[in-house]
Amino acid sequence: MRAFYFDNLQGDQRLLHDSGRSVSDEVLKSIGVLHWHIPTDQQSQIDAVAEERNYKNRDVITITKEGLGDLYETKLKGFYEEHMHEDEEIRYILEGSGFFDVRDHPTDSWIRVHLEAGDLLVLPAGIYHRFTLDEKNVIKAMRLFKDEPKWIPYNRDGATDANPYRIDYMKTLTVN
């Protein structure tokens, strides 16, 4: 896993877009973003994290152009819309690679996190973020859930700014 500030230049969202400014683990932790690197042959460590964080369910999602066919570009654009969830978003990369972009605080700048096989990322409920593949155009990820599997994005607007989960998330930032 490598994190850096997004360069905000126009162009394909799957490109690196590295501004040259690295982001430390401390900055990520300060906005509630956690990560581990767990080799994909060490499933028991994923089980331990799941138990510690009370994740009861999981599934596996594969995103490829071949797999999504005509829906590929539409799905990729949808994942890249800035949004939040009312639950933590937990992804463990099994194969391939991609980017999660998260909003820094208080600047609201994008931080780009590049994930590869073995990376586990936890985004807190209420954080604005987006996802895209990188130029390899393939990712296979395990999604972990505290309850029944669900993935409901709330695109950023005035209503999401007033969402109780967003408000609670923002309160954690003022405490830190």
Side-chain angles (χ1 to χ4, degrees), residues 27-80:
V27 169
L28 291 174
K29 286 179 186 171
S30 76
I31 59 172
V33 176
L34 306 174
H35 68 88
W36 296 265
H37 183 80
I38 301 171
T40 56
D41 64 349
Q42 296 181 14
Q43 185 68 40
S44 63
Q45 288 187 36
I46 295 297
D47 295 340
V49 170
E51 185 175 331
E52 176 186 319
R53 298 190 66 82
N54 202 27
Y55 302 146
K56 297 180 185 99
N57 292 297
R58 60 183 81 179
D59 67 10
V60 174
I61 183 171
T62 303
I63 303 169
T64 64
K65 191 168 190 161
E66 298 76 26
L68 293 174
D70 293 341
L71 296 176
Y72 176 76
E73 292 297 333
T74 302
K75 286 284 192 187
L76 216 53
K77 285 186 187 338
F79 295 146
Y80 202 62

Side-chain angles (χ1 to χ4, degrees), residues 6-15 17 80:
F6 189 81
D7 65 14
N8 292 316
L9 298 176
Q10 294 294 319
D12 189 333
Q13 66 196 40
R14 294 170 288 191
L15 297 177
H17 287 284
Y80 202 62

Side-chain angles (χ1 to χ4, degrees), residues 49-128:
V49 170
E51 185 175 331
E52 176 186 319
R53 298 190 66 82
N54 202 27
Y55 302 146
K56 297 180 185 99
N57 292 297
R58 60 183 81 179
D59 67 10
V60 174
I61 183 171
T62 303
I63 303 169
T64 64
K65 191 168 190 161
E66 298 76 26
L68 293 174
D70 293 341
L71 296 176
Y72 176 76
E73 292 297 333
T74 302
K75 286 284 192 187
L76 216 53
K77 285 186 187 338
F79 295 146
Y80 202 62
E81 288 290 320
E82 183 174 6
H83 63 277
M84 57 150 270
H85 303 285
E86 293 182 343
D87 297 307
E88 287 184 339
E89 182 159 343
I90 308 95
R91 298 293 181 266
Y92 176 60
I93 310 306
L94 297 166
E95 296 173 15
S97 50
F99 300 109
F100 273 89
D101 297 339
V102 296
R103 287 289 188 184
D104 191 10
H105 182 78
T107 67
D108 216 30
S109 300
W110 281 116
I111 296 173
R112 177 155 271 201
V113 181
H114 190 222
L115 300 172
E116 298 179 302
D119 288 329
L120 174 68
L121 185 74
V122 177
L123 303 180
I127 192 172
Y128 285 127

